Amino acid sequence: MIRFLRQVIGTVVLSQLLVSVGVSQSKDSSLVFPRTETSAATSDDHNHPRLGAIVSAGIGPFSTFDRDGHYHTELHPTLGFDFLAEPDGVLHFLLGGRLGFSDPLFAEASFGMRFPLHENSDRTLSVYTDLSLLFYADTNHAHPPGPGIRAALGARTSGELDLEYRLAGEWRGTKSTSVDGDRTRSLWWVGAEVSVAFSLVGASQLPTRKDSIRAAVQYIATPDEMEQLERVSSRARLDDWLEHFWKRRDPTPDTYLNEARLEYERRVALANESYSRPKRMGVTTDPGRVLVIYGKPSEIESVTSAADEQAEYQMWIYLRRIPAAPIAVFLFRTDMPRGWHQVYSNVPGELTGVYPSGLPERFNRWVQ
């Protein structure tokens, strides 16, 4: 009798498991998760104010007067340190100083701005130019302190270390203190610099498990649920919170698998794999957000901007997936400095703006 009951129970369990698996596999990207009022239309961390430090070493020819008053050119190594402030907006500010190991030794302080020129879509490479006003003096007081101008063109790579490579030039005015009575000469330096950059304020540390969960569920969690998540302080309680969160959203509570959770977590993994970049999880980007809420689009159209070759557009089309928009459209643009960001959608409540002009007809037909 006991053996018979075990067989019956085993059969029931196996059949339930097969039903769960079958239901899970039948659930595809057509599942739409309802957004909550806590859902931000976008979650761009690029605009958070940041403060960084840059340590640099450089070398190049330097033309100046030596301590005996003779004008000459020599190889001039430098060692520098800058603070880089990145407030909201495009302009960044530099404050720093450098030592120049020449004869005599030079010291300078500088203040200026950094202008971003280009950034690729995953933010692993950016190009910029610096323009600063500098004040310099030499250690032997051979020349009175004076003003000058510093300009640089550089590139920054992001990874485990943020590295900068620059071609820089400095003009330190003109002097006429030559002992041989020669005409007025310009004091200048041109060289190459290599730098290591790191964050001081607003740094993006490696995300904790709680950070990853918060980023993933922020679009579908209620305000009360997010407040409860913030109060969680241990791994065990975090697991309990997650279990209760998805239990309330289980479309088939009588089965062993939670199809909604499996589908959502699959989308989160895909968003992070496809759109993550240094210091930012893919699920927090605009395409990542749309992907986890609405799933993979029915069609994707891509084009390079006719007005700006560095800008690309990508249109996601959802056919009969979203009740509020039978033909739902999401238009993304990638350019400097934000990477992929949403510029238009016809879905109510979604981030949108004016539909760009000049897009090809294959884009326009979805918006008519």
Side-chain angles (χ1 to χ4, degrees), residues 62-63 71 108 132-136 146-151 168-175 184-190:
F62 180 44
S63 292
Y71 184 79
E108 69 178 51
S132 302
L133 179 66
L134 62 86
F135 298 89
Y136 68 93
I149 297 174
R150 171 181 168 86
E170 296 179 358
W171 180 75
R172 300 175 179 176
T174 58
K175 298 293 180 182
T184 299
R185 299 281 190 170
S186 295
L187 309 182
W188 55 267
W189 175 82
V190 177

Side-chain angles (χ1 to χ4, degrees), residues 43-51 86-89 123 201-204:
S43 182
D44 195 345
D45 61 359
H46 179 80
N47 293 326
H48 292 177
R50 293 180 293 178
L51 177 65
E86 302 176 78
D88 292 347
R123 291 185 62 188
V201 177
S204 300

